[in-house]
Amino acid sequence: MLVHICCSVDSHFFLEKLQTDFPDEKLTGFFYDPNIHPYSEYRLRYLDVQRSCKKLGIDLLEGEYDFETWMSLVRGLENEPEKGARCEVCFDRRFDVSAKKALELGETKITTTLLVSPLKSQEQLKRVGDLFYEKNGVEFIAVDYRSGGGSQDQSRVTKEEQLYRQDYCGCIYGLTMQRDQQGKLMDEMFSPLGNQILPASIEDRLELYQRRMDYEDAGQEYQLVREKFLNYRQYNLKISISKRLVDAHALIYSTLPRKKANGRIEHTINDIHFMNREEVKFITLEYFNTLSKSSFKTVKEMIFNPLSVERESEVRQKLCHSPYDLSPIFILDELKEGKIDIYLDAKNLRR
Ligand code: SF4
């Protein structure tokens, strides 16, 4: 039986149940989910499915990430709500490709882990599956592992196995609507220019879950521990001196309450230049290099090859007199005389 897999939270429990209910079937997992956006989130979900299938002794195949085809299929349905017309097209596509895969492999049965997802309509899935059976002769196994306490069992398994629990269905349209309704920043779509790995970003989780796999492969003990911290996201920075734009970098956790500030350098102490407004501080790249033990030639070079967030935070600690100082700190190639205009759109969010 070919089992289309959408994510580990749905698949681990589902596959365990299938192994019990269909002991004579050889199960093959098929991860085909080009709906998942962005690609880093797709990789993260796949990684956790790999781990789950490995634990259960189930072969896993990866489908093509044909995201552009998926996008063209749902064109015009962008504003549909979840469980609406876009989702139907999305299921159709994933079914169609999975069922073709089943035919290609000589399988006669197919099912999908989407059947246990509380966000999906079982009737909708069954309709699509039955239609495919009529067309292609691959039987759709519509098991119901949700009722009779199934959902509670699934939550227990998710916790016990420490599976990666995503908090959105998968596509950019569902995610946009969800974050709009929650009034939350669409953090998932942030990709810093220099690919710096931001705390709690998908890339950060990808590294964490990869490390977890490595520990498990090496038989090393580990524990995933949750943390609360101040999260930082920067949208835009622009600094001009005497109306001429200059290359600049805002040190992590730099924010301005009204996004804009202007002023002049008031005094300089120990290579830190203090502006007369908003507690703004400036340092030159040369001083930054000294503090961070790096050797950037220009600020531009640093923007495209940034230090890790941890190393940037260390520089902040060296520049501030207290651990709770969140003054905006900017790094420039050199500090010129003149009126300084700053536009910084950035947020600190508690996570
Ligand atoms: S919300 Fe989920 S099921 Fe619906 S189209 Fe997006 S990814 Fe597919």
Side-chain angles (χ1 to χ4, degrees):
M1 186 191 308
L2 190 78
V3 186
H4 165 257
I5 292 177
C6 58
C7 65
S8 64
V9 168
D10 287 345
S11 73
H12 199 85
F13 165 76
F14 190 85
L15 290 167
E16 269 184 336
K17 295 281 280 178
L18 283 180
Q19 282 179 323
T20 311
D21 293 349
F22 298 85
D24 300 327
E25 280 289 340
K26 182 184 179 296
L27 305 176
T28 301
F30 183 53
F31 189 84
Y32 175 69
D33 301 282
N35 51 311
I36 301 172
H37 195 83
Y39 183 64
S40 46
E41 175 72 17
Y42 169 88
R43 294 264 41 110
L44 179 54
R45 294 189 194 186
Y46 181 65
L47 184 78
D48 217 43
V49 167
Q50 271 182 312
R51 170 180 176 260
S52 151
C53 285
K54 200 167 160 190
K55 281 185 162 219
L56 297 170
I58 290 172
D59 290 343
L60 175 67
L61 304 172
E62 184 183 5
E64 190 190 342
Y65 184 70
D66 50 352
F67 173 67
E68 281 171 24
T69 309
W70 185 88
M71 288 288 269
S72 64
L73 290 170
V74 299
R75 191 166 296 143
L77 304 171
E78 294 84 351
N79 297 321
E80 284 285 316
E82 269 192 49
K83 295 191 186 179
R86 188 186 65 248
C87 300
E88 199 140 346
V89 173
C90 180
F91 297 151
D92 265 345
R93 174 68 185 170
R94 287 190 277 170
F95 255 92
D96 244 33
V97 173
S98 303
K100 276 180 191 135
K101 190 73 186 174
L103 284 174
E104 186 191 310
L105 297 171
E107 301 281 4
T108 52
K109 296 187 195 78
I110 186 168
T111 190
T112 175
T113 60
L114 291 167
L115 284 164
V116 285
S117 168
L119 293 172
K120 310 290 171 306
S121 150
Q122 292 219 347
E123 293 70 47
Q124 201 178 41
L125 287 168
K126 200 165 164 354
R127 229 177 13 249
V128 178
D130 289 345
L131 211 69
F132 195 86
Y133 183 41
E134 274 171 36
K135 266 201 305 191
N136 301 290
V138 176
E139 189 184 350
F140 177 59
I141 307 295
V143 284
D144 177 10
Y145 292 150
R146 244 198 261 169
S147 52
S151 298
Q152 285 89 324
D153 283 348
Q154 187 184 0
S155 303
R156 182 185 42 76
V157 170
T158 301
K159 221 169 165 187
E160 277 171 10
E161 298 293 339
Q162 301 202 60
L163 302 171
Y164 166 56
R165 199 196 293 251
Q166 68 271 0
D167 75 339
Y168 67 101
C169 182
C171 71
I172 190 167
Y173 306 120
L175 175 65
T176 310
M177 265 182 248
Q178 193 174 319
R179 293 291 176 260
D180 272 357
Q181 281 160 9
Q182 294 167 327
K184 272 192 184 171
L185 179 75
M186 203 160 62
D187 216 20
E188 295 79 2
M189 300 309 294
F190 265 83
S191 264
L193 274 181
N195 291 329
Q196 191 181 42
I197 296 184
L198 300 171
S201 63
I202 299 171
E203 290 74 15
D204 190 34
R205 272 180 242 144
L206 203 46
E207 278 195 343
L208 173 77
Y209 282 85
Q210 182 58 62
R211 218 176 316 140
R212 190 248 299 255
M213 286 264 273
D214 296 343
Y215 285 148
E216 288 184 343
D217 288 347
Q220 226 171 303
E221 280 197 23
Y222 69 90
Q223 181 64 47
L224 293 181
V225 178
R226 287 179 172 276
E227 287 175 335
K228 287 253 179 268
F229 60 91
L230 200 56
N231 204 17
Y232 179 76
R233 294 293 182 262
Q234 191 186 125
Y235 304 76
N236 203 340
L237 167 68
K238 211 157 63 177
I239 296 186
S240 54
I241 303 179
S242 304
K243 299 205 181 307
R244 288 182 73 100
L245 276 177
V246 294
D247 291 337
H249 176 69
L251 208 58
I252 188 138
Y253 294 128
S254 296
T255 57
L256 284 174
R258 282 168 295 282
K259 295 185 190 174
K260 286 184 183 176
N262 55 59
R264 289 177 184 277
I265 299 300
E266 206 171 38
H267 52 263
T268 300
I269 308 170
N270 296 336
D271 292 303
I272 305 174
H273 308 274
F274 295 81
M275 200 173 89
N276 55 346
R277 303 232 175 91
E278 300 288 0
E279 292 77 51
V280 171
K281 296 171 188 162
F282 288 94
I283 59 167
T284 60
L285 180 65
E286 193 185 348
Y287 190 42
F288 178 82
N289 278 336
T290 309
L291 294 175
S292 61
K293 296 190 178 61
S294 41
S295 53
F296 295 110
K297 289 193 178 56
T298 60
V299 164
K300 202 175 252 169
E301 184 195 330
M302 179 177 60
I303 291 169
F304 288 98
N305 304 280
L307 296 183
S308 66
V309 166
E310 290 76 12
R311 283 185 67 195
E312 263 201 42
S313 307
E314 281 166 22
V315 173
R316 171 171 278 284
Q317 280 164 28
K318 287 179 189 169
L319 290 166
C320 297
H321 293 289
S322 69
Y324 41 84
D325 183 346
L326 289 176
S327 305
I329 303 176
F330 302 100
I331 304 147
L332 305 180
D333 285 311
E334 55 175 330
L335 217 73
K336 294 180 186 138
E337 280 286 315
K339 184 180 167 240
I340 304 169
D341 286 290
I342 307 169
Y343 175 83
L344 172 64
D345 190 1
K347 277 192 176 76
N348 281 325
L349 307 157
R350 191 153 172 264
R351 289 292 289 255

